């Protein structure tokens, strides 16, 4: 089946899609992105991702490429053309094309927009979730504005590769105070030794995960003690449960940290329940 990508105003065959060599995203990582999960052909947590996109653009003073309604139409068209029922939609907006110079071009170029959509095998994802995944910890080495979802992901890519080489699915960054910030592409959670569900608060240098926020909303109906409070790798290793959240991972149980088993080494009941609740809510 042929795949389609949206590039600066038109849909083109994925294999033919291309951007300019002086796109500032390509040369300077001067751009932002968003990823939506798709359930039953529909965008999950649509508004949360649009809000964060608008904030990321405004923090970098990149012009909004189009209004939310228009953008949503294009995203839906990308889903339709690629016949995605369950999957992911990726949107990238860069400051645009200009002769290479670090400072912003004047006048401002038209922002460059790329959208792709791909299917995800939910059966395989569920099998992965039923087993749980391992994470490693690494020193935090990213910049100070991780609240902006920029395409500058080199430390994240290196951390993911390190995790992969150790048979793990994610890497958790640990800040100079010895506290876990977040994962390379997800937010980090534990159910600590006292049974308190914990994730780092968003005043820290982390991405304000849209899935994280939805899961917190879902907690309101559950009888779970919850605190937005940072934890150390040792607390994670001594925790009853751990998991990660993100548009790609949804709610994914973590069964080991740095090779040490969490709890019984199998997905815990809280993570398993929250995954089911999140998928149910996102599919509604
Ligand atoms: N933290 C980082 C660094 C991420 O890259 C992501 C997602 O890509 C997340 C957290 C989770 O965010 P969301 O739930 O909005 O996908």
């Amino acid at each position: 089946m042929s795949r389609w990508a949206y590039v600066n105003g038109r849909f083109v065959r994925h294999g033919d899609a291309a951007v300019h060599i002086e796109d500032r995203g390509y040369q300077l990582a001067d751009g932002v992105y968003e990823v939506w999960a798709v359930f039953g052909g529909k965008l999950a947590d649509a508004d949360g991702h649009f809000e964060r996109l608008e904030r990321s653009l405004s923090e970098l003073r990149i012009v909004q490429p189009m209004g939310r309604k228009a953008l949503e139409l294009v995203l839906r068209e990308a889903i339709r053309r690629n016949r995605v029922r369950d999957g992911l939609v990726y949107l990238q907006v860069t400051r645009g094309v200009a002769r290479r110079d670090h400072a912003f071009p004047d006048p401002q170029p038209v922002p460059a927009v790329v959208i792709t959509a791909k299917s995800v095998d939910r059966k395989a994802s569920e099998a992965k979730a039923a087993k749980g995944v391992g994470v490693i910890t690494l020193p935090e080495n990213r910049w100070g504005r991780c609240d902006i979802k920029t395409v500058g992901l080199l430390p994240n890519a290196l951390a993911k590769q390190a995790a992969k080489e150790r048979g793990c699915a994610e890497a958790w960054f640990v800040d100079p105070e010895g506290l876990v910030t977040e994962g390379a592409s997800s937010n980090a959670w534990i159910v600590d030794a006292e049974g308190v569900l914990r994730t780092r608060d968003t005043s820290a240098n982390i991405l304000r995960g849209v899935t994280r926020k939805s899961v917190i909303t879902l907690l309101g109906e559950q009888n779970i003690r919850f605190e937005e409070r940072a934890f150390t790798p040792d607390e994670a290793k001594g925790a009853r449960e751990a998991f990660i959240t993100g548009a790609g991972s949804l709610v994914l149980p973590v069964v080991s940290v740095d090779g040490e088993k969490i709890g019984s080494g199998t997905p815990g009941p809280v993570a398993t329940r929250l995954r089911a609740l999140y998928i149910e809510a996102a599919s509604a």
Side-chain angles (χ1 to χ4, degrees), residues 122-134:
R122 290 267 181 246
K123 265 210 181 119
S125 313
E126 287 315 308
K128 185 174 170 187
K131 255 180 86 190
V133 298

Side-chain angles (χ1 to χ4, degrees), residues 31-200:
V32 305
Y33 74 106
E34 269 305 327
V35 180
W36 286 257
V38 177
F39 288 94
K42 285 197 312 199
L43 296 168
D45 285 328
D47 289 344
H49 288 282
F50 280 120
E51 273 156 33
R52 188 173 60 194
L53 172 70
E54 287 156 14
R55 180 176 178 277
S56 295
L57 288 168
S58 117
E59 289 295 308
L60 296 184
R61 291 192 274 151
I62 297 176
V63 185
Q64 307 275 340
M66 54 183 114
R68 200 186 283 196
K69 277 254 157 64
L71 201 50
E72 197 167 344
L73 278 178
V74 185
L75 294 175
R76 288 188 194 292
E77 181 61 11
I79 291 169
R80 193 191 69 75
R81 283 194 185 230
N82 290 288
R83 297 202 176 92
V84 176
R85 294 291 304 157
D86 294 312
L88 293 167
V89 182
Y90 176 85
L91 161 75
Q92 175 172 316
V93 182
T94 70
R95 197 177 307 276
V97 175
R99 187 181 160 138
R100 190 174 184 281
D101 184 5
H102 289 66
F104 296 172
D106 185 16
Q108 290 220 41
V110 178
V113 182
V114 167
I115 296 169
T116 56
K118 67 176 180 189
S119 296
V120 163
D121 179 351
R122 290 267 181 246
K123 265 210 181 119
S125 313
E126 287 315 308
K128 185 174 170 187
K131 255 180 86 190
V133 298
V135 304
I136 61 166
T137 61
L138 290 174
E140 178 65 86
N141 61 353
R142 299 174 301 160
W143 74 325
R145 289 304 308 272
C146 294
D147 57 308
I148 308 174
K149 199 166 168 66
T150 81
V151 296
L153 289 174
L154 187 55
N156 308 58
L158 296 176
K160 278 278 188 191
Q161 179 61 22
K164 188 175 168 188
E165 286 170 8
R166 284 157 65 180
C168 290
E170 182 58 300
W172 283 354
F173 292 112
V174 180
D175 70 13
E177 282 73 51
L179 299 166
V180 172
T181 52
E182 62 179 332
S185 66
S186 60
N187 289 110
W189 303 65
I190 59 168
V191 178
D192 72 15
E194 278 73 49
V196 180
L197 177 60
R198 283 161 63 183
T199 192
R200 187 120 196 205

Side-chain angles (χ1 to χ4, degrees), residues 7 17 21 36 59 70 87 146 161 196 200 210 228 269 272-273 279:
V7 185
I21 56 163
W36 286 257
E59 289 295 308
C146 294
Q161 179 61 22
V196 180
R200 187 120 196 205
V210 174
E228 289 184 84
T272 304
R273 178 147 50 107
I279 292 175

